[in-house]
Amino acid sequence: MQVSKPSKILSVSALTEAWNSSRDRSRARGGDGVDHVTSAIFKRNLAANISAIHSEIKSGQFGYAPLRVIRIPKTNNDKFRIICVPTVRDRLVQRSICAYLENKRKFPIYNNSSFGFLKGVSTLKAIEAARSARSRGTWCFKTDIESFFDRIPRNYLKEEVRKKLGNSSLTKLVLDAIDCEAEAKPSVARTLAAQGIKRGEGVRQGMPLSPMLANLALARFDKEIERQAIRMVRYADDLVVFADSKDAAIAAGSVVTLLLQKLDLKIPNLGGNSKTIVRGPDDPLEFLGQEILYLDKSDAYVARISKAQIAKIVSSLKAEYSPSEIVREKLTLADVNIALSRTLSAYRGAYAHASNYQALDGQLRATTRAIIKDVLETIFGFEIVRNITPEGQQFLGIEGLHDQVEELLDDT
């Protein structure tokens, strides 16, 4: 009996590999979907669950469940970022599809201008590309695509998928992912409507396939930008073009506007407090959490972390690891120690190549001491913690905190 192609591509071994490389098998696992099956529950019968998924794919009976909506407050305004969470089994299938499409490079999303959501490509590379481009074109036109994911034209995207995948048996699974919608509840409908999200439009954020599909939606745009020799760095919906003069920067921005209009996408108008701005040679350019500017002492353009971004990071850490939040989340001190270490490592990795990295590192160390001080004072009191033996620290899962506690006592 001939095995259908999707069951070969999405084989039990491929699905298992996708699981093993996913966050769902880690402590940082994703949330449950509309079926309320958590990653932990799915993992208990992993082999049987994967076998069942493969059987459904092989028989053509597999279908995606509706998406569960999560609202994440945005900073500095009263809007929310909407994340649509697939079920554990659905995102496992999508991750396996992503792995295949990435390994085979089935979509034309790889170029010299796009840096977002690509395997092996990071924000660091995007920032370095922007710094390098500004050294050759000191005027900048910076913007972002309005409500990008929510306004991606589905029909156009489906046409691109069909062109690139042809009659592949994966085509239907990818097209079905494009059509995935949130669960049909009045409260969910009101939430989506308030954010301007309409059924039948866009690609829902939160699905593993969404970033790749977003890049595919802009693949022709990227190609035309490069054909016209416009120097651009794009990371998802954030983009900057570089030019030798103000007029050339604005002209390049007009090209960007017209090309996006062909996709029924748009950017904010230039002026006022718009996210569309023009920056001159001496102006700092903010991009992906860093600012690119000319420093006389270096006689070059450098990328550094702005004071505002450092302040934002410090504020976020203090809020996330405040005693009240820790109690609300029912975290142990060991949990806090592990989570905080991972968060700090992520920040240090993200900004390791910034020219003023040491300033951030100093702030992170000071903030860590402040967080630990607040937690210990609230839960234990300083005098008790001061006298905990090394064996007691190990038992509590707080090894390594002794020196930090001593530093705090010296500071008081």
Side-chain angles (χ1 to χ4, degrees):
M1 178 180 178
Q2 185 176 5
V3 180
S4 62
K5 193 173 182 181
S7 63
K8 289 183 178 179
I9 296 173
L10 304 180
S11 63
V12 169
S13 60
L15 291 167
T16 302
E17 184 176 348
W19 170 267
N20 289 334
S21 61
S22 77
R23 57 178 291 206
D24 277 329
R25 69 184 298 270
S26 70
R27 290 175 63 92
R29 52 186 174 267
D32 54 309
V34 295
D35 60 358
H36 304 299
V37 175
T38 65
S39 300
I41 293 173
F42 188 89
K43 185 179 180 180
R44 290 175 195 164
N45 297 296
L46 182 63
N49 287 329
I50 288 178
S51 179
I53 292 171
H54 179 259
S55 295
E56 290 181 23
I57 292 172
K58 184 176 179 179
S59 65
Q61 299 300 309
F62 180 84
Y64 299 114
L67 308 167
R68 184 170 70 88
V69 170
I70 295 177
R71 300 193 312 169
I72 300 177
K74 290 186 176 181
T75 56
N76 303 323
N77 59 47
D78 58 355
K79 292 186 176 181
F80 294 88
R81 182 180 177 217
I82 302 297
I83 300 298
C84 296
V85 182
T87 60
V88 176
R89 71 197 311 268
D90 286 359
R91 56 184 184 248
L92 175 58
V93 170
Q94 288 195 27
R95 286 191 183 108
S96 191
I97 293 173
C98 283
Y100 173 80
L101 296 177
E102 285 174 346
N103 291 336
K104 299 295 183 180
R105 292 208 165 197
K106 288 290 186 177
F107 290 159
I109 56 178
Y110 307 93
N111 56 63
N112 295 322
S113 301
S114 175
F115 293 83
F117 310 133
L118 296 171
K119 187 176 181 180
V121 180
S122 64
T123 55
L124 291 178
K125 290 187 177 181
I127 291 168
E128 175 54 28
R131 188 206 62 77
S132 177
R134 194 167 196 196
S135 298
R136 294 176 285 117
T138 54
W139 282 87
C140 314
F141 179 96
K142 179 181 179 294
T143 190
D144 71 356
I145 304 170
E146 292 184 347
S147 303
F148 173 46
F149 278 86
D150 300 328
R151 293 180 180 174
I152 292 174
R154 286 190 183 179
N155 288 339
Y156 171 79
L157 182 57
K158 289 178 181 180
E159 178 185 340
E160 292 299 293
V161 169
R162 292 188 185 99
K163 286 180 180 178
K164 302 307 180 284
L165 296 185
N167 60 358
S168 166
S169 52
L170 284 185
T171 301
K172 184 178 184 303
L173 289 172
V174 176
L175 297 180
D176 287 348
I178 294 173
D179 283 330
C180 276
E181 297 286 3
E183 57 184 323
K185 288 183 177 180
S187 60
V188 171
R190 289 192 295 270
T191 295
L192 297 182
Q195 303 299 315
I197 299 175
K198 300 178 181 178
R199 295 181 71 86
E201 293 183 9
V203 174
R204 299 294 165 252
Q205 292 189 71
M207 300 187 300
L209 271 169
S210 296
M212 181 180 288
L213 292 171
N215 274 333
L216 178 60
L218 291 178
R220 284 196 199 178
F221 166 78
D222 292 339
K223 184 177 181 180
E224 182 60 21
I225 286 290
E226 292 189 350
R227 190 191 71 79
Q228 295 194 33
I230 295 174
R231 286 169 286 189
M232 179 184 76
V233 176
R234 180 178 69 79
Y235 194 97
D237 53 350
D238 289 322
L239 64 91
V240 188
V241 295
F242 302 87
D244 298 326
S245 68
K246 182 177 181 179
D247 288 344
I250 293 174
S254 296
V255 173
V256 168
T257 300
L258 291 173
L259 290 176
L260 290 174
Q261 283 177 350
K262 292 180 179 180
L263 298 173
D264 292 326
L265 298 171
K266 62 180 181 178
I267 61 175
N269 293 325
L270 185 64
N273 294 321
S274 172
K275 290 185 178 180
T276 300
I277 57 174
V278 173
R279 289 288 183 260
D282 297 327
D283 300 323
L285 170 71
E286 293 189 6
F287 185 58
L288 300 179
Q290 294 193 39
E291 57 183 9
I292 299 168
L293 75 166
Y294 184 83
L295 290 184
D296 289 332
K297 64 180 181 180
S298 301
D299 191 26
Y301 280 95
V302 301
R304 72 180 187 185
I305 318 161
S306 68
K307 291 182 179 179
Q309 182 66 10
I310 292 178
K312 184 177 179 181
I313 290 171
V314 169
S315 177
S316 176
L317 284 171
K318 287 183 176 180
E320 184 176 359
Y321 296 101
S322 67
S324 60
E325 186 67 15
I326 288 168
V327 170
R328 189 182 72 82
E329 292 290 332
K330 299 180 180 179
L331 301 178
T332 66
L333 195 53
D335 292 333
V336 173
N337 194 23
I338 293 170
L340 182 56
S341 295
R342 287 175 175 169
T343 302
L344 295 174
S345 294
Y347 279 127
R348 289 186 171 112
Y351 295 104
H353 298 288
S355 65
N356 61 338
Y357 169 78
Q358 293 303 323
L360 172 67
D361 189 57
Q363 285 286 350
L364 291 178
R365 292 177 185 276
T367 303
T368 299
R369 289 197 297 269
I371 288 171
I372 293 172
K373 178 180 178 181
D374 287 345
V375 172
L376 296 180
E377 282 184 332
T378 301
I379 298 176
F380 294 114
F382 254 24
E383 290 304 318
I384 293 177
V385 175
R386 186 178 196 177
N387 295 312
I388 294 177
T389 65
E391 292 78 10
Q393 291 183 44
Q394 183 177 6
F395 178 75
L396 291 172
I398 58 173
E399 305 98 316
L401 289 183
H402 184 270
D403 291 340
Q404 292 173 309
V405 172
E406 289 299 318
E407 283 185 55
L408 290 171
L409 290 170
D410 291 341
D411 291 342
T412 57

